[in-house]
Amino acid sequence: MTKLDINRKHLDTILRDLNNTFYLSPYVGFQVAWDAIIKMANHFPQNTELDRLVSLLKIIPEEKVKDILSDPALDELLNLQPPLETILSNQHEYIDADRTSYELKELGRLRIIDPRAALINLTHILKRIHDRRVHGFKTPNGSRDEGIFRASLRLLYRLGGFAAESLRANQ
């Protein structure tokens, strides 16, 4: 892989933001952690945000990927009852329950046989949670949403920390 041109001070600022999520509510911390990961992904030259994000995920060593996928926070998301994104929180929200159910089952299966694919799948799910938050369908007050954001924030924090380590190693 080609060395990336990463400003060390910029990466330190991103890591500081990520570390500050410990002092924020899960609702706010989720957004800060998501933004930090996107800022790291923006060091890659691909055209779309999703492609840059996948490139960032690909530099994380496989043992770290497995570490993320073995975090109890992932099981919290996988085992939510009722399942993740099967309840409308707003009359304007659209849910593709079949797609979400498939992705969650696939994530559970892939984390054993293809951890990197599982991490990419997880990131797609986290992006949809992010999009629901941004568009106002998830709130800081719902107890279900609180659990979703708490588990998602933990996963984003770990993903971001390992991504930053990998970026530093690639400087």
Side-chain angles (χ1 to χ4, degrees), residues 21 26-27 35 53 60 75 82 86 146 157 168:
T21 62
Y27 181 78
D35 291 348
L53 187 55
I60 299 172
D75 291 318
T86 57
E146 171 88 10
Y157 179 81
R168 280 218 167 115

Side-chain angles (χ1 to χ4, degrees), residues 53-118:
L53 187 55
V54 168
S55 292
L56 176 66
L57 299 176
K58 286 180 177 178
I59 70 166
I60 299 172
E62 187 162 345
E63 69 273 4
K64 302 295 186 180
V65 170
K66 289 178 181 178
D67 197 36
I68 295 166
L69 296 173
S70 67
D71 193 290
L74 179 56
D75 291 318
E76 286 180 45
L77 288 179
L78 292 175
N79 298 323
L80 275 173
Q81 289 303 322
L84 183 63
E85 292 193 27
T86 57
I87 295 179
L88 293 174
S89 58
N90 181 297
Q91 71 270 19
H92 302 294
E93 186 175 11
Y94 169 77
I95 292 175
D96 187 346
D98 291 337
R99 176 179 165 203
T100 301
S101 175
Y102 171 79
E103 286 180 345
L104 291 170
K105 285 177 187 165
E106 190 69 0
L107 174 56
R109 184 182 74 81
L110 286 174
R111 75 195 233 186
I112 305 299
I113 61 170
D114 189 350
R116 188 144 331 264

